[in-house]
Amino acid sequence: MPRTRTSNRELFSLFRTAATVDFCESCAQVCTGQCCADALLDRARTQALQLHSRSAAADNASGIAVALEAARIRTPTMPDGAGLAVGFLDAEEIGARGSAHHAPTVAPDTVVINVDGAQLGDAPTEAGGPAHALLAALDQAGRETGVPPRAGAMASGNRRYAAAGLPAAGIGMGIPGYQTPAETADRVETHTLVAATRLVVATVRQLAGSVTG
C-alpha cells in the first residue's frame, strides 16, 4: 500500500475552521492573521498529553457549575420576549475552535457571557463587540451583588463571539494550577462559586429587563 505524505499545509487545514478570524499563538488573542501550523499542532499534541492528568476542577468544571446554577435560577423567571440558552463547547484548548465554529451560527441579537472559571479571587472581565449595554448590566449587577467586575484580559471563547459581531464578555475568577494536576476540586472556593453565580444571575436579570422594558 503506498504511503501518503501529509504536508504542514494539509495538516493546518485540518485545524482550520469556518471563522473569519484566527487565534494567534504569538499574542494569545484573536487576530486577523493566520497562525503558524507547526505551533498549532504542537499545542494540540501538548493538550492531548495533558488530558490524562488534568482534573479540570476550575477550567472548566467550576465555570460549568456557575452557568448551570445561574440558568436554574433564572429560567423560571425569564420575561416574555427574552430567551436564555446555555452552551458548552469542545476543542477550546486548541485555538478556541469550538467557539469559532459556533459563533457564526448564533442569532445576531444574542448577548454572550462566558464564565471560564470560578475558583478564587475577584472578577476580571473582558468585553468585546458592541458591548455597551452588556457592560452597563455587568456594572449594575456588580453594585447589587457586591461583586464588581474589573477590566482584565480574558483570552477565551468570548473573543470568538466578539469577533463575530456579538456583544460578549468573558469572566474569569481565578484558575490556580491551570491545566496541571494541581487544578483540583479542593482549591475551588465555595464563596467564589456563589459570588460568580450571583453576578451572572443579576447581569442576566438586567439584560432581560432592558429587552422587555
Side-chain angles (χ1 to χ4, degrees), residues 39-192:
L40 189 58
L41 288 170
D42 286 342
R43 182 174 180 179
R45 295 188 189 103
T46 300
Q47 293 295 333
L49 290 173
Q50 289 178 344
L51 286 176
H52 73 281
S53 61
R54 283 186 58 196
S55 70
D59 182 19
N60 53 5
S62 63
I64 289 175
V66 169
L68 288 174
E69 181 64 5
R72 184 189 68 81
I73 293 170
R74 285 300 307 162
T75 297
T77 59
M78 290 297 288
D80 293 338
L84 178 63
V86 177
F88 305 115
L89 304 170
D90 203 355
E92 283 297 283
E93 306 304 332
I94 309 174
R97 293 184 64 224
S99 52
H101 177 76
H102 183 240
T105 72
V106 177
D109 59 348
T110 301
V111 177
V112 178
I113 302 174
N114 179 86
V115 183
D116 219 41
Q119 195 162 11
L120 57 83
D122 54 6
T125 302
E126 176 182 316
H132 296 292
L134 173 55
L135 282 171
L138 276 165
D139 180 67
Q140 183 60 35
R143 295 172 188 273
E144 291 179 3
T145 61
V147 190
R150 64 172 178 83
M154 187 63 186
S156 189
N158 49 286
R159 291 182 174 178
R160 291 296 198 179
Y161 293 100
L166 300 169
I171 303 171
M173 298 180 69
I175 309 176
Y178 177 58
Q179 295 189 2
T180 72
E183 191 184 327
T184 53
D186 60 293
R187 302 182 70 183
V188 177
E189 298 178 346
T190 301
H191 72 269
T192 303

